Amino acid sequence: MLREPDLLDPEIRAYLEAENAYTKAAMAPQDALKEEIFEELKARIKPDDASVPKPDGAYAYYLRFETGGQHPIFCRKATGEAGEEEVLFNGDAESQGHPFFDIAACSHSPDHRYLATAVDTTGSEYYSLRVKDLASGALLEEQIERAHGSLAWANDSQSFFYTVLDDNHRPYKVLHHRLRTDPDHDPVVYQEADPGFFLGLDSSESRRFVIVQANDHTTSELRLIDADRPDQPARLVAPREPGVEYDVSHHGETLYIRSNADGALDFKIAQAPVENPGRESWRDLLDHRPGRYLLHLLLFQDYMVRLERVAGLPRIVVRRLADGEEHEIAFEEEAYDLTIDPGYEFDTAILRFVYSSMTTPRRVYDYDMGARTRTLRKEQEVPSGHDPAAYVTRRIMAPAQDGAQVPVTLLHRKDLQIDGTAPLLLYGYGAYGMAMPASFSTNRLSLVNRGFIYAIAHIRGGTDQGYGWYLDGRGPAKMNSFTDFIAAGEALIAAGFAKKGWIAAHGGSAGGMLMGVVANLRPDLFKAIVAEVPFVDVLNTMSDGELPLTPPEWPEWGNPLEDPEARARIAAYSPYDNISTQDYPHILATAGISDPRVTYWEPAKWVARLRRLKTDQNLLLLKTNMSAGHGGASGRFDKLEEVALVYAFLLKVFGR
């Protein structure tokens, strides 16, 4: 059904469409408000936006949107000339006739002649690979189906590597495709035997190697393919060891390795010779320092850049390779988000990074690592207007049950009276080590401008406070994620930002599991729950080894098929299994019919059981997107329709 959504059982389709009709009818009085919000959201998006071009030798590559367009248009211009734009792939044109259209990859060959694309037209994350000859404008005949969307070119520009999915929707093979040959005969470069490990592809910054990545949530194993000799076998860097993660960068005859090996909880950086990369050859370059979580390593010809998080805030440190001299790029706001934007060029002194905060729109900078100067290349435009000075962002610490201090980031209008009377939306995720950034979002202004306080709870299960913060919210310690979120709500009440029963909780996917758990544990704390594509049938899903994500998820939650303690632990919090006869908050749940990550029946079952057992008259709505998957609608404006529904629901519940 993921590959062909039309195969959905007619009875199930009728059931889901009946739920959609019920949601539409219940929200009908809010239709005018929903449309108003939708227009607001659109008005904050620059209609003809474009990315800052990235230089790559003879060309600079970028993407842009046309006014009214839903999908990106990938383009290039000759470097250093005011030449005409060359459109490489027009997402708007290619999406015609497809209710869903997602572009996972749009990758040009090293010689700039070919463009490989990976496209999904159902939301199921089965991608189709095609190659375009940019010299002639013609598509090559071959078409690769059931791909994962991950690909990397060899340096000869005549071949590329890609991953494919098995019958359980798991990326398990890396193949090597030569242009103008039959994909059915593509040789297998590596095949993963463990269903708990997914494969991915990357290229080293130097372009010397294609990197084959095998990962579960806590263990990794990498292989290197010489991009100059793509027919040679992949070479193992270091065998997998449970709980040991590593990734590699390349410079000259040396590999730079970011890893948590040898008890380096917050990671360290080691070096090893290319010819002998095993663990026995690793020599520490940057020692482990507890509390300094190394997020990302980026190498250039003359510099090593690391993105790290200290005391819950990101920072960039630049090291000159010649002598090891380091400096930090400084920022002033109390809470902010910071990301590195890798380019194509290795021999350059220019680092591109992106900065934003809850009040400050995204700013793209080019930073000269030698001169230590930054140039603003782009600031996110908000066409309808945005005054950062009209808003306040703050961070408080919420004491958890065991004494841990949980950061909570807040955004509200400066003129809002803080006395507990304003409705407050509390967002959380808390899984897989994913941190929740204190970044800028134009969408949330539609709530904040209507008197809401917007808060993010940086709960355990993410890496907001380092890798240990993740370990303290997974597996046997999973309950910490849920109780941290509740503690955040209680701390906001104690600080006067909210009052009991006047909080909306919001989360999606694994954050939707969080929503289901806190709805069961503390329904009195929340007035509303928004659970988007929620992972709420945890025990059943983790007990079905045939589902796409189940084996890779066992390290995160535990394996109830083999571990009685894990089964008991999951059974104690699994949202579907712990619904009880009690009052619940107003609830809006969403689903995607072709979602391979959280199958549509999880939120459908959850809502059905809630309907049967809950004792209140509050709203309980289910909205299933019948033409999309985990990420919802694919077009940039279609996505806003879904946001507008969520906000209209919240405003209805809070009487705003």
Side-chain angles (χ1 to χ4, degrees), residues 313-332:
L313 290 177
R315 66 183 187 184
I316 294 173
V317 179
V318 178
R319 171 185 284 224
R320 192 164 55 203
L321 292 176
D323 56 12
E325 183 185 23
E326 293 188 350
H327 68 274
E328 179 185 341
I329 306 175
F331 304 93
E332 297 178 356

Side-chain angles (χ1 to χ4, degrees), residues 69-70 105 167 175 187 211 237 311 314 320 332 344 407 421 441 450 460 494 509 541 584:
Q70 292 264 30
D167 291 337
L175 295 96
I211 303 169
V237 176
R320 192 164 55 203
E332 297 178 356
Y344 297 115
T421 60
S441 166
R450 287 177 171 85
R460 282 175 283 187
S509 194
T541 295
Y584 279 87

Side-chain angles (χ1 to χ4, degrees), residues 48-364:
D48 56 348
D49 204 4
S51 67
V52 180
K54 291 184 178 183
D56 184 14
Y59 293 94
Y61 290 82
Y62 59 99
L63 61 83
R64 63 175 177 81
F65 291 90
E66 291 189 340
T67 300
Q70 292 264 30
H71 301 282
I73 299 171
F74 295 83
C75 310
R76 71 182 180 189
K77 288 184 179 180
T79 303
E81 299 180 14
E84 292 187 5
E85 172 184 271
E86 182 181 358
V87 173
L88 308 179
F89 186 84
N90 188 323
D92 283 329
E94 298 290 340
S95 69
Q96 294 302 306
H98 299 291
F100 182 92
F101 190 81
D102 179 58
I103 307 164
C106 199
S107 175
H108 63 274
S109 60
D111 67 358
H112 307 282
R113 176 171 174 177
Y114 297 100
L115 186 78
T117 59
V119 169
D120 170 21
T121 57
T122 66
S124 62
E125 300 179 38
Y126 281 101
Y127 290 91
S128 175
L129 304 186
R130 298 297 307 268
V131 178
K132 181 180 181 181
D133 185 341
L134 298 175
S136 66
L139 285 173
L140 303 192
E141 287 187 8
E142 59 261 37
Q143 184 166 338
I144 300 169
E145 301 294 349
R146 297 185 66 175
H148 183 232
S150 179
L151 62 89
W153 284 94
N155 286 338
D156 61 6
S157 296
Q158 294 299 308
S159 65
F160 62 85
F161 299 88
Y162 64 97
T163 53
V164 294
L165 300 162
D166 66 12
D167 291 337
N168 296 100
H169 203 277
R170 300 167 190 149
Y172 79 120
K173 273 185 188 178
V174 174
L175 295 96
H176 183 205
H177 178 70
R178 289 211 159 269
L179 303 185
R180 298 181 174 84
T181 66
D182 185 351
D184 289 342
H185 300 139
D186 287 348
V188 175
V189 174
Y190 176 70
Q191 180 168 335
E192 177 56 51
D194 187 336
F197 278 72
F198 279 13
L199 298 182
L201 289 169
D202 200 359
S203 295
S204 65
E205 302 95 322
S206 64
R207 298 191 186 181
R208 166 79 182 278
F209 295 108
V210 171
I211 303 169
V212 179
Q213 306 157 329
N215 297 280
D216 67 8
H217 290 299
T218 59
T219 304
S220 53
E221 182 178 80
L222 273 58
R223 288 169 170 78
L224 303 179
I225 301 170
D226 190 329
D228 290 327
R229 298 185 295 170
D231 294 318
Q232 296 295 310
R235 188 187 342 171
L236 177 66
V237 176
R240 65 190 68 174
E241 298 178 39
V244 174
E245 297 184 58
Y246 70 93
D247 51 54
V248 300
S249 296
H250 165 257
H251 188 285
E253 298 306 315
T254 303
L255 296 179
Y256 287 67
I257 303 158
R258 188 190 71 98
S259 176
N260 64 349
D262 305 313
L265 182 66
D266 286 322
F267 287 70
K268 63 179 180 177
I269 297 174
Q271 293 177 304
V274 169
E275 295 304 318
N276 186 25
R279 279 285 303 278
E280 69 281 357
S281 300
W282 293 11
R283 299 293 180 267
D284 289 355
L285 174 67
L286 187 72
D287 291 338
H288 172 244
R289 181 188 301 168
R292 179 186 65 188
Y293 178 43
L294 301 181
L295 296 162
H296 185 63
L297 173 66
L298 187 65
L299 273 185
F300 296 87
Q301 180 65 45
D302 297 320
Y303 299 93
M304 179 182 79
V305 177
R306 64 181 191 266
L307 178 66
E308 56 190 37
R309 187 178 295 120
V310 177
L313 290 177
R315 66 183 187 184
I316 294 173
V317 179
V318 178
R319 171 185 284 224
R320 192 164 55 203
L321 292 176
D323 56 12
E325 183 185 23
E326 293 188 350
H327 68 274
E328 179 185 341
I329 306 175
F331 304 93
E332 297 178 356
E333 290 188 90
E334 182 179 339
Y336 56 86
D337 181 43
L338 186 63
T339 57
I340 292 172
D341 187 10
Y344 297 115
E345 297 188 321
F346 184 63
D347 191 4
T348 178
I350 302 301
L351 166 71
R352 181 165 294 173
F353 65 84
V354 182
Y355 175 92
S356 75
S357 74
M358 298 279 274
T359 60
T360 305
R362 283 167 49 91
R363 293 173 177 169
V364 180

